[in-house]
Amino acid sequence: MRIAHVLLIAAFRPLMAVAQQPAVPSGVPLAEATQRLAPAASDTDTVRALRPPPSSSVAMAPLSHDQRVAFYVKRTYSPRVFLRAGLGAGIAQWRNAPKEWGSGFPGYERRYAAILGTAIVRNTTEFGVAMWRHEDYRYPRSSRNGFGPRTADVIHNTIFMRTDDGGEELAWSRAATAITTSVAVNSWQPSRLRGTRRTLLSIVGGFVGYGTGNFTSEFGPDVKKYIKRRLGR
């Protein structure tokens, strides 16, 4: 009950602050009246919590249209993508997952198409929405030191994305990609693996996958440097 009271106070605090302001005399211009009342609401902890925290990542030049297209093509249609799909289909074939698709070449073909189709849907959705929202889906590494601060930046750069004008916004392209990819995968899975619950779990898994990938992009280069130093290279 005490927690509920705290949440209610936090939710209504901005309104209470505005209500406690002295009344604005009639005849005062709208801009001046807004300026008088704005500090009371904008300075509250609740409102500040809704704003994206300042990023501490390394600055990157925005992508041009041609660079975006080249980046999309490389991520989606490079030979490595097809080889990775073939390897994944081979592992799924060895595990006979899903069992409804059977064995032999027909089963391998369906598994290969499913893995490659997932990659195409995911990358195409992210490319299209990021282009529309002017989001930069590259990962900007942190400029801070220490595991804790850099991990915090990984979380920040998973929830928010940079825009072409140098600002930040919620990662709408990632949200759309996680939802679209999960719905698409659910449509071609066997009936045993379909359903709302599995789709929702897949959406959550998509966000977790973005976070894991960003974590690897942040700390992976450091691990490689450490290994090279240990090997004396």
Side-chain angles (χ1 to χ4, degrees):
M1 184 64 68
R2 293 184 61 186
I3 296 176
H5 288 165
V6 172
L7 293 175
L8 287 174
I9 292 173
F12 286 99
R13 185 178 173 186
L15 299 178
M16 295 168 59
V18 173
Q20 293 173 357
Q21 290 293 310
V24 178
S26 60
V28 175
L30 178 60
E32 182 179 347
T34 304
Q35 185 176 6
R36 292 187 184 186
L37 296 178
S42 61
D43 289 342
T44 62
D45 295 337
T46 304
V47 174
R48 282 199 300 270
L50 297 177
R51 299 172 182 162
S55 175
S56 55
S57 301
V58 177
M60 296 189 300
L63 292 170
S64 66
H65 178 272
D66 292 342
Q67 287 175 326
R68 285 180 180 273
V69 173
F71 190 68
Y72 163 72
V73 171
K74 181 178 179 180
R75 291 180 67 196
T76 311
Y77 300 107
S78 67
R80 196 166 101 180
V81 176
F82 292 91
L83 290 174
R84 187 181 301 169
L87 178 61
I91 295 175
Q93 183 89 348
W94 173 65
R95 297 176 55 200
N96 194 29
K99 61 183 181 181
E100 290 84 353
W101 289 352
S103 58
F105 183 76
Y108 179 83
E109 186 178 31
R110 295 191 67 174
R111 294 178 176 94
Y112 180 84
I115 295 174
L116 185 61
T118 300
I120 292 175
V121 171
R122 181 180 61 245
N123 294 341
T124 302
T125 303
E126 187 176 37
F127 168 75
V129 178
M131 179 79 76
W132 169 52
R133 298 292 305 176
H134 300 283
E135 294 178 346
D136 190 343
Y137 40 69
R138 296 174 299 173
Y139 177 76
R141 295 189 69 199
S142 174
S143 60
R144 299 196 287 179
N145 297 320
F147 181 80
R150 292 175 66 185
T151 301
D153 288 339
V154 169
I155 297 173
H156 172 91
N157 290 319
T158 301
I159 300 173
F160 299 99
M161 294 181 71
R162 291 188 176 187
T163 53
D164 292 342
D165 60 1
E168 286 186 331
E169 69 173 17
L170 288 173
W172 296 113
S173 61
R174 288 176 182 156
T177 299
I179 295 171
T180 304
T181 305
S182 299
V183 172
V185 171
N186 186 69
S187 69
W188 61 59
Q189 288 287 346
S191 57
R192 176 178 60 89
L193 302 177
R194 296 179 186 173
T196 304
R197 180 175 176 272
R198 288 187 176 274
T199 301
L200 293 176
L201 290 175
S202 179
I203 292 173
V204 174
F207 280 104
V208 173
Y210 277 118
T212 303
N214 290 343
F215 187 88
T216 303
S217 298
E218 178 65 41
F219 294 100
D222 297 328
V223 174
K224 290 181 180 178
K225 290 180 181 178
Y226 174 78
I227 294 175
K228 287 182 178 180
R229 286 199 304 266
R230 296 292 295 180
L231 294 177
R233 294 182 180 178

